[in-house]
Amino acid sequence: MSTAMVTGAVVERLRTETETADTVVIGSRGLGGFAGLVLGSTGLGLANQAHGPVVVVRGHYRVSHDEVVVGYDGSVDAECAVEYAMEQAQARGARLRVLHAKHQPVSYPHPAGFGPVPPPGIEDEIPQRLRPWLDKYPRVRSVQTVVSKHPVPALAAASRTADLVVVGTRGMSGFTSTMLGSVSHGVLHHAHCPVAVVRPREARS
């Protein structure tokens, strides 16, 4: 373990650290944050710009639930989130809950400017899609949950009994023109436990 005192723009300096660090962990609100905000500008800014996984921690957690929750929608971002969640669950000896929120009817028109149209019936394909990860991490106990709810409140509710919630930076419901999607942004603000935001490996270079 080592310590260092650095100067300069906080987000930019921490962003540089994410280029080589396995994970960067920060608090949700520092001395420069507004008291009324759940997530400070540093946490949000870093999650938006980081090259690697960023874990945002809020409050003190003394109760272990032995569960890691990952949001899954079948996107590339979600696959990266699953890999990180598998690693975390294995390291903690915890169960992994893969949560898919089915919040948009197939017949509902897909808004212009959003990401790829979610394929119908993806919830039926989840076990098959997750099989490679389960084979790679055979020691991880996992459960799969499908809920008819928007992803943000669904993941926020799951976070009450989780030690960590893992989300991708941008999934199928995120704006393609932003680095941090609406779901990951919402989870960062409303989760009751630490949140890990994971960016696809090809987007880190």
Side-chain angles (χ1 to χ4, degrees):
M1 180 177 179
S2 62
T3 61
M5 181 71 73
V6 297
T7 60
V10 176
V11 174
E12 287 301 317
R13 293 306 299 262
L14 288 173
R15 178 177 179 272
T16 300
E17 293 296 324
T18 67
E19 295 178 0
T20 55
D22 293 329
T23 300
V24 170
V25 182
I26 61 173
S28 60
R29 186 176 64 245
L31 295 176
F34 292 96
L37 291 179
V38 175
L39 182 67
S41 58
T42 299
L44 189 59
L46 185 60
N48 189 50
Q49 301 178 28
H51 294 280
V54 173
V55 175
V56 179
V57 181
R58 181 168 61 253
H60 301 282
Y61 302 91
R62 299 179 180 177
V63 178
S64 176
H65 299 285
D66 293 324
E67 181 166 278
V68 173
V69 175
V70 60
Y72 185 77
D73 64 2
S75 65
V76 173
D77 292 65
E79 293 290 340
C80 294
V82 167
E83 180 179 18
Y84 185 84
M86 284 281 186
E87 293 172 353
Q88 290 298 308
Q90 179 169 277
R92 298 162 184 255
R95 180 177 70 172
L96 176 66
R97 180 177 299 278
V98 181
L99 190 151
H100 172 69
K102 184 182 178 182
H103 72 287
Q104 191 176 43
V106 175
S107 60
Y108 193 84
H110 193 65
F114 279 63
V117 178
I122 187 177
E123 61 274 10
D124 298 328
E125 302 175 4
I126 291 177
Q128 180 180 356
R129 292 182 178 221
L130 293 178
R131 176 50 52 190
W133 298 116
L134 297 175
D135 292 340
K136 184 177 181 179
Y137 297 91
R139 289 185 294 166
V140 175
R141 297 170 293 125
S142 68
V143 293
Q144 298 159 29
T145 303
V146 177
V147 296
S148 297
K149 198 173 186 179
H150 189 278
V152 173
L155 288 167
S159 72
R160 292 183 179 275
T161 55
D163 300 316
L164 178 70
V165 169
V166 184
V167 293
T169 49
R170 186 180 62 247
M172 292 181 175
S173 58
F175 289 100
T176 57
S177 61
T178 61
M179 293 300 290
L180 190 64
S182 58
V183 171
S184 48
H185 183 281
V187 173
L188 281 170
H189 279 283
H190 297 289
H192 300 274
C193 72
V195 177
V197 180
V198 184
R199 190 174 306 281
R201 297 186 185 280
E202 61 269 23
R204 299 178 194 174
S205 59

